[in-house]
């Protein structure tokens, strides 16, 4: 992996030097707690999917200022030799807690919690946000697309439209976490053990004297994975009939047709797929799949499904890999507690915009489930020293519309703490998972959502509440400031 230590904003380093100078003068090394959270669900969704944790762990493990980095920073004529010497021996010594990769999450919740010397916690802000924001955005977009496909397979085909190689690579990985079942991205397949999928281009057909000749050559080379692109010339009068001819020849030659079918890349996909389905069925190829590409997104897929399109595999590119509808996740990293002289002080950021007022203090995140259904009931953000017993009745309330309350009765709900240790005092305690394990967990997570929260338009909003103690602390701090 590349060293990403300098993947940071310049002001993070200038602040670090200021902190370093202040520490020398005061003989104090303040410790800080930062929360990474986001304020609004992307794409108008009812939830988001947390992704990027594995890369974040790699980044922290590889965090070192090597000779080349020190030399470059010296060339900026900004940093003292004393501070550069500190960077040369820099090592992250703090603790990080985070929700598991693939977890369904909601606005305002602490997703990554950094507890570290202030100077260390400041450094990792930019890279942390870069990694988590991008991958959570693509995982969330993929979840929307897969929900629209209603059980059909969705393939990530966006590499050529991604904003650069890294966005293509980690976007493909995030798309898998969101529910996709394969990618066209070969390097992502190698790096992350993602299943590879793909057929051929129109140029393949055009390079032969005839469409039938191109189909035959391709089928003879890949008889076990024969998916033919049928819309280069005339989909219904040429492409599909020629594909049927080749499928019949394969079968007559003794090939057992399994993973085979046609791909549509233009035209009215609902109409063409229904006509093609009938032609394939009438020819005795009822098990042939029909794949579709062509600038698809969750809204178009949903419409095509509603119109009875006979499509079972969806290749989604531009709209998925760029999250074209909402191209940024909007996660932020805010100070919520500071320790000087042995005492923790709660911190809060205020704003004219209520959404930008932060929740103070060191917190934990609890998820409440309905016992009967196993579905989510609500999330509860609490102070770290609070304890809740499932054997007791619990009343929670909306921190803005405080009259909105929910009564949970003992035995009817369970509690799960979502933030788990990733680093403890600089040591990585995170157990790396395979992409398959992460995807299985992510699928179970999405399965705990009610369908109302998965709607593509106007989804039901999951209750995200504050505990009484945290609510009172926030209110008291706001009143003191005002």
């Amino acid at each position: 992996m590349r060293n990403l230590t300098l993947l940071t904003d310049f002001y993070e380093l200038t602040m670090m030097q200021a902190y370093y100078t202040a520490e020398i003068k005061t003989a104090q090394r303040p410790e800080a707690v930062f929360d990474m959270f986001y304020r609004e669900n992307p794409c108008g969704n009812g939830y988001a999917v947390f992704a990027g944790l594995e890369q974040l762990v790699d980044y922290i493990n590889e965090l070192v200022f090597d000779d080349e980095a020190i030399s470059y920073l010296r060339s900026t004529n900004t940093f003292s030799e004393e501070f550069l010497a500190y960077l040369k021996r820099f090592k992250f010594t703090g603790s990080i807690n985070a929700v598991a990769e693939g977890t369904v999450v909601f606005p305002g919740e602490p997703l990554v919690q950094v507890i570290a010397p202030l100077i260390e916690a400041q450094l990792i802000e930019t890279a942390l946000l870069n990694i988590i924001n991008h991958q959570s955005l693509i995982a969330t977009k993929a979840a929307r697309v897969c929900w629209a496909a209603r059980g059909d397979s969705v393939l990530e085909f966006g590499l050529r439209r991604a904003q650069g190689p890294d966005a293509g690579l980690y976007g493909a990985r995030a798309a898998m976490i969101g529910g996709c079942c394969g990618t066209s991205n070969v390097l992502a397949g190698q790096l992350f053990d993602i299943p590879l999928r793909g057929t051929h281009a129109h140029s393949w057909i055009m390079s032969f004297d005839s469409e039938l000749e191109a189909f035959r050559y391709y089928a003879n080379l890949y008889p076990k994975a024969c998916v033919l692109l049928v819309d280069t010339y005339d989909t219904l009068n040429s492409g599909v009939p020629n594909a049927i001819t080749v499928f019949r020849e394969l079968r007559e030659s003794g090939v057992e047709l399994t993973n085979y079918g046609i791909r549509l890349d233009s035209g009215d996909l609902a109409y063409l797929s229904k006509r093609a389905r009938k032609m394939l069925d009438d020819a005795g190829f009822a098990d042939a799949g029909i794949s579709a590409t062509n600038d698809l997104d969750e809204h178009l897929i949903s419409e095509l499904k509603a119109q009875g399109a006979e499509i079972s595999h969806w290749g989604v590119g531009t709209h998925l890999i760029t999250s074209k509808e909402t191209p940024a996740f909007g996660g932020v990293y805010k100070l919520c507690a500071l320790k000087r002289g042995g005492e923790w002080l709660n911190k809060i950021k205020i704003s004219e915009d209520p959404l930008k007022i932060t929740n103070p203090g060191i917190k934990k995140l609890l998820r409440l489930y309905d016992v009967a259904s196993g579905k989510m009931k609500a999330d509860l953000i609490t102070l770290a020293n609070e304890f809740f017993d499932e054997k007791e009745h619990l009343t929670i309330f909306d921190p803005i519309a405080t009259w909105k309350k929910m009564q949970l009765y003992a035995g009817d709900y369970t509690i799960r703490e979502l933030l788990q240790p990733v680093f403890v005092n600089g040591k990585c305690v995170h157990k790396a998972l395979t992409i398959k394990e992460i995807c299985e967990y992510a699928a179970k997570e999405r399965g705990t959502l009610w369908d109302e929260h998965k709607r593509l338009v106007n989804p039901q909003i999951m209750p995200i509440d504050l505990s009484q103690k945290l609510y009172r602390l926030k209110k008291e701090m706001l009143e003191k400031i005002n």
Side-chain angles (χ1 to χ4, degrees):
M1 175 186 172
R2 288 171 302 163
N3 184 286
L4 300 179
T5 301
L6 292 187
L7 185 69
T8 189
D9 290 307
F10 189 54
Y11 84 155
E12 307 286 17
L13 292 167
T14 57
M15 281 191 289
M16 284 181 72
Q17 179 166 247
Y19 288 143
Y20 177 78
T21 304
E23 287 178 12
I24 293 176
K25 288 182 178 179
T26 63
Q28 290 186 351
R29 195 182 194 211
E31 191 172 0
V33 179
F34 281 83
D35 286 345
M36 183 268 164
F37 61 94
Y38 71 101
R39 297 188 177 108
E40 294 183 272
N41 287 318
C43 309
N45 211 37
Y47 64 94
V49 178
F50 179 75
L53 181 60
E54 295 291 340
Q55 190 184 18
L56 176 61
V57 169
D58 289 341
Y59 159 73
I60 298 294
N61 280 330
E62 299 294 326
L63 199 55
V64 60
F65 289 85
D66 58 20
D67 291 340
E68 186 177 356
I70 295 296
S71 178
Y72 171 72
L73 293 177
R74 181 179 289 114
S75 74
T76 67
N77 298 316
T78 304
F79 306 105
S80 69
E81 287 300 319
E82 189 176 11
F83 178 63
L84 291 175
Y86 162 75
L87 293 183
K88 180 66 177 175
R89 61 180 184 272
F90 180 90
K91 184 180 185 302
F92 182 77
T93 64
S95 299
I96 297 177
N97 302 313
V99 302
E101 196 160 19
T103 299
V104 167
V105 294
F106 303 96
E109 300 182 336
L111 308 181
V112 182
Q113 181 184 69
V114 178
I115 307 170
L118 178 57
I119 192 170
E120 297 178 17
Q122 193 69 67
L123 172 63
I124 68 174
E125 173 184 10
T126 302
L128 184 155
L129 290 174
N130 176 274
I131 291 167
I132 300 300
N133 275 338
H134 173 250
Q135 294 184 50
S136 297
L137 175 69
I138 304 305
T140 304
K141 183 68 171 181
R144 284 175 60 81
V145 172
C146 292
W147 169 252
R150 299 286 179 162
D152 296 343
S153 65
V154 176
L155 306 170
E156 184 280 308
F157 281 176
L159 178 58
R160 62 189 61 188
R161 301 289 175 79
Q163 279 96 344
D166 284 348
L169 284 173
Y170 287 96
R173 182 182 181 278
M176 294 293 293
I177 294 171
C180 292
C181 62
T183 181
S184 63
N185 188 329
V186 179
L187 185 54
Q190 178 194 28
L191 293 177
F192 307 124
D193 194 25
I194 300 173
L196 296 175
R197 298 289 185 270
T199 56
H200 56 77
H202 292 106
S203 58
W204 169 261
I205 308 296
M206 296 162 65
S207 69
F208 285 80
D209 291 336
S210 72
E211 184 178 58
L212 181 58
E213 182 185 357
F215 283 176
R216 279 178 173 147
Y217 197 100
Y218 190 86
N220 288 331
L221 195 58
Y222 305 109
K224 299 290 187 181
C226 183
V227 179
L228 303 174
L229 180 60
V230 296
D231 70 332
T232 303
Y233 301 122
D234 187 327
T235 301
L236 298 179
N237 294 313
S238 171
V240 177
N242 282 332
I244 289 172
T245 296
V246 170
F247 296 154
R248 186 175 291 118
E249 290 172 355
L250 284 175
R251 180 179 287 172
E252 290 172 352
S253 69
V255 173
E256 183 180 353
L257 295 173
T258 52
N259 183 24
Y260 78 110
I262 63 171
R263 176 163 73 96
L264 302 169
D265 188 49
S266 61
D268 187 325
L269 297 178
Y271 171 76
L272 292 174
S273 67
K274 286 185 278 189
R275 287 288 306 275
R277 179 76 275 158
K278 186 175 188 311
M279 294 168 69
L280 288 166
D281 290 352
D282 289 347
F285 299 103
D287 58 344
I290 299 180
S291 303
T293 48
N294 189 28
D295 220 20
L296 298 170
D297 66 4
E298 65 270 38
H299 302 293
L300 181 52
I301 291 174
S302 184
E303 284 294 314
L304 290 169
K305 296 285 288 185
Q307 294 168 24
E310 292 283 356
I311 298 168
S312 52
H313 308 283
W314 306 86
V316 187
T318 305
H319 288 272
L320 171 53
I321 203 65
T322 66
S323 187
K324 190 173 182 181
E325 180 182 1
T326 304
F329 190 69
V332 295
Y333 184 82
K334 298 299 180 183
L335 179 68
C336 56
L338 190 67
K339 186 179 183 180
R340 278 199 182 98
E343 180 181 357
W344 281 105
L345 302 174
N346 298 312
K347 297 292 180 177
I348 187 171
K349 176 189 178 295
I350 64 171
S351 171
E352 295 283 334
D353 183 350
L355 277 178
K356 292 191 174 183
I357 299 175
T358 61
N359 293 319
I362 307 173
K363 298 174 288 294
K364 60 185 178 183
L365 176 60
L366 305 180
R367 179 150 293 166
L368 312 177
Y369 296 91
D370 177 64
V371 169
S373 65
K375 302 286 189 181
M376 297 181 200
K377 292 285 288 183
D379 279 1
L380 186 63
I381 307 172
T382 81
L383 293 172
N385 59 4
E386 292 188 76
F387 175 77
F388 295 85
D389 191 343
E390 299 168 349
K391 298 177 182 178
E392 297 178 356
H393 299 333
L394 176 63
T395 300
I396 58 177
F397 64 96
D398 187 299
I400 298 177
T402 55
W403 63 90
K404 294 182 180 180
K405 297 182 179 181
M406 181 186 299
Q407 181 70 48
L408 302 172
Y409 295 96
D412 288 347
Y413 71 97
T414 58
I415 299 175
R416 174 184 164 217
E417 190 166 343
L418 294 186
L419 288 171
Q420 297 297 322
V422 178
F423 284 85
V424 177
N425 297 326
K427 181 181 179 181
C428 181
V429 296
H430 171 71
K431 178 186 176 184
L433 300 176
T434 66
I435 190 66
K436 182 180 179 182
E437 290 171 329
I438 295 170
C439 291
E440 288 174 351
Y441 167 76
K444 289 179 181 178
E445 275 287 286
R446 296 192 300 275
T448 63
L449 283 165
W450 301 88
D451 283 353
E452 290 82 355
H453 297 111
K454 299 178 186 178
R455 281 197 301 258
L456 298 179
V457 179
N458 295 326
Q460 179 70 18
I461 303 303
M462 181 69 70
I464 310 299
D465 299 339
L466 304 184
S467 69
Q468 288 277 2
K469 286 186 178 180
L470 178 54
Y471 176 79
R472 284 198 298 267
L473 172 63
K474 185 175 184 178
K475 185 178 179 183
E476 289 169 3
M477 293 185 72
L478 287 172
E479 289 174 350
K480 285 181 181 179
I481 292 172
N482 294 329

